Amino acid sequence: MSKKYKIAVLPGDGTGPEVVREGLKVLNAVARSCGFKYETEEFDFGGERYKKTGEILPESAVGDLKKKDAIFLGAIGHPDVKPGILEKGILLRLRFELDQYINLRPVKLYPGVDTPLKDKGPKDIDYVVVRENTGGLYTGIGGFTMKGTEQEVAVQSMVYTRHQVERCLQYAFEYTRKRNKNNTLALCGKTNVLTYVYDLWVRAFHEIGKKDYPEIKREYYHVDATCMWMVKNPEWFDVIVTGNMFGDIITDLGAITQGGMGIAAGGNINPEGVSMFEPIGGSAPKYTGKNVINPLAAICALGMLLDTLGEKEAAQKIEKSVIKVTGTKLKSLSAGKMGYSTSEVGDLVAEGI
Ligand code: IPM
Ligand code: MN
């Protein structure tokens, strides 16, 4: 008998619920087509709940989520709530407490999708960023002294342990090997200025690579140069591994080269635990409830979720159907300009399956 997957659904804020709905529509279609079973449980974490109850995450949240096979997240961030409260209190807290130490962000241009990169097409833009997801500047170590005075000091430290760096690199090497495209892993750092943190990364990178992954070619780029080459020569990249802050920044750049936030998906992965998948764009509050937001990023995130659960065929079916929709139907990936509504795009992908 096949397994029944337990999937937690966190629609979240803004347009999150609208794109999640389309993701679940596609999940329903692909489960029937591939013959696997699942059950979903919805959690209402987000800005509205916080405004009503004052509670950001209930005590039981992490324990409840740990019992699931995977988490499907819409978006976190509410215009009436001060920036940082929900992001730190929900999204980052879940990444940390579930120890989702990898943020996996494919940068792949699908046929029919416009890229702002001149003369580049789907064969040029197809790489994956492995972003470390629980350490670095996101650790939250720091503080103020003399706040509000002329002498005010603010500190926020980039903290990495050898253990955090090693497990991230190990995942990245392993992923590069499995992907088996160019067998090239590029480390993105800043060894000319961050001479402690990225020195540790570089040493661990070469030690692990030399010892356990001799067939994987190792490259190093400073983060500023990485941005330049992601624009000028994206075809150079196969897999890029980097720390948390740089990964956050370069994946927005990567996302715009693959057609923008309407299509960019990511996974917060704990290879030994429960992983959480999300469209990487925000909650886009100005489009809330209008049925105009692009659900493809959420649908692609769902594809990544199924791939991680081992439902490879389902993930491939979703990707194929998305490619058909981007290649033959949508006029644009931008909200309101697709030529279809949010729910119609979901229907198209589901029908394609
Ligand atoms: C992302 C987002 C988050 C991050 C924010 C919302 C905390 O930008 O997932 O990339 O910085 O990681
Ligand atoms: Mn980001």
Side-chain angles (χ1 to χ4, degrees):
M1 206 186 80
S2 77
K3 192 177 166 199
K4 190 172 190 182
Y5 299 112
K6 293 198 278 297
I7 299 174
V9 177
L10 279 57
D13 297 318
T15 51
E18 288 166 67
V19 296
V20 158
R21 196 178 308 132
E22 302 314 311
L24 295 176
K25 192 187 276 175
V26 172
L27 174 62
N28 178 44
V30 81
R32 273 197 270 158
S33 160
C34 293
F36 66 84
K37 294 195 173 60
Y38 68 94
E39 61 185 33
T40 57
E41 184 181 355
E42 198 171 306
F43 296 86
D44 65 349
F45 312 145
E48 288 305 325
R49 179 196 163 95
Y50 173 64
K51 277 173 57 186
K52 250 186 271 152
T53 67
E55 189 174 59
I56 301 176
L57 257 195
E59 273 315 303
S60 54
V62 172
D64 289 346
L65 293 175
K66 276 189 178 161
K67 291 184 201 131
K68 304 294 181 184
D69 293 304
I71 304 165
F72 185 38
L73 170 71
I76 297 293
H78 196 291
D80 303 343
V81 183
K82 199 178 143 206
I85 293 181
L86 301 170
E87 292 86 344
K88 276 187 158 177
I90 301 176
L91 185 62
L92 298 185
R93 189 164 160 216
L94 291 179
R95 286 178 183 172
F96 288 2
E97 294 213 15
L98 297 169
D99 205 16
Q100 294 162 340
Y101 60 87
I102 298 297
N103 196 322
L104 192 67
R105 297 189 162 177
V107 179
K108 187 168 180 179
L109 181 68
Y110 287 141
V113 175
D114 277 338
T115 173
L117 302 188
K118 191 164 159 273
D119 300 331
K120 299 294 177 189
K123 66 172 192 333
D124 305 303
I125 303 173
D126 181 7
Y127 56 94
V128 177
V129 178
V130 175
R131 165 187 174 189
E132 199 288 328
N133 208 32
T134 56
L137 282 169
Y138 282 68
T139 308
I141 291 180
F144 300 105
T145 50
M146 294 174 281
K147 191 173 178 183
T149 72
E150 292 252 311
Q151 290 76 36
E152 175 166 356
V153 183
V155 181
Q156 199 130 15
S157 304
M158 186 180 277
V159 184
Y160 267 114
T161 66
R162 176 90 194 190
H163 170 71
Q164 284 176 317
V165 171
E166 277 186 1
R167 66 182 185 172
C168 176
L169 289 169
Q170 223 123 35
Y171 181 92
F173 275 114
E174 208 55 53
Y175 189 89
T176 309
R177 179 182 273 171
K178 284 211 190 91
R179 178 171 153 92
N180 196 21
K181 193 184 174 218
N182 300 336
N183 286 294
T184 303
L185 179 61
L187 172 63
C188 162
K190 188 74 184 170
T191 51
N192 51 350
V193 176
L194 304 176
T195 50
Y196 307 121
V197 165
Y198 278 98
D199 189 78
L200 167 58
W201 275 85
V202 167
R203 278 182 286 119
F205 180 59
H206 291 300
E207 280 166 32
I208 294 170
K210 213 185 241 170
K211 182 168 167 282
D212 298 327
Y213 304 90
E215 84 283 13
I216 306 288
K217 187 165 171 245
R218 279 168 270 139
E219 292 180 341
Y220 171 82
Y221 300 91
H222 294 321
V223 61
D224 43 357
T226 307
C227 292
M228 196 166 69
W229 301 127
M230 281 169 65
V231 171
K232 185 156 185 300
N233 295 107
E235 68 281 2
W236 285 359
F237 296 114
D238 178 6
V239 182
I240 301 175
V241 62
T242 189
N244 209 343
M245 187 78 257
F246 294 165
D248 177 47
I249 297 166
I250 70 168
T251 53
D252 265 31
L253 174 58
I256 206 68
T257 68
Q258 68 177 124
M261 291 306 179
I263 190 87
N268 303 278
I269 294 179
N270 176 342
E272 299 88 36
V274 184
S275 301
M276 176 166 74
F277 299 83
E278 53 175 336
I280 81 172
S283 56
K286 70 174 176 182
Y287 297 120
T288 305
K290 298 207 162 87
N291 201 23
V292 296
I293 196 85
N294 187 342
L296 289 179
I299 292 169
C300 291
L302 182 89
M304 292 179 74
L305 182 155
L306 292 172
D307 189 67
T308 307
L309 289 178
E311 296 294 336
K312 306 281 172 199
E313 191 200 344
Q316 277 161 16
K317 278 193 175 174
I318 291 174
E319 183 171 52
K320 253 181 132 174
S321 184
V322 167
I323 288 176
K324 202 162 157 219
V325 171
T326 59
T328 64
K329 301 279 184 188
L330 301 196
K331 280 195 269 177
S332 153
L333 296 192
S334 303
K337 297 183 185 148
M338 299 186 289
Y340 296 87
S341 67
T342 305
S343 44
E344 283 168 346
V345 174
D347 289 341
L348 286 172
V349 179
E351 281 159 20
I353 287 164

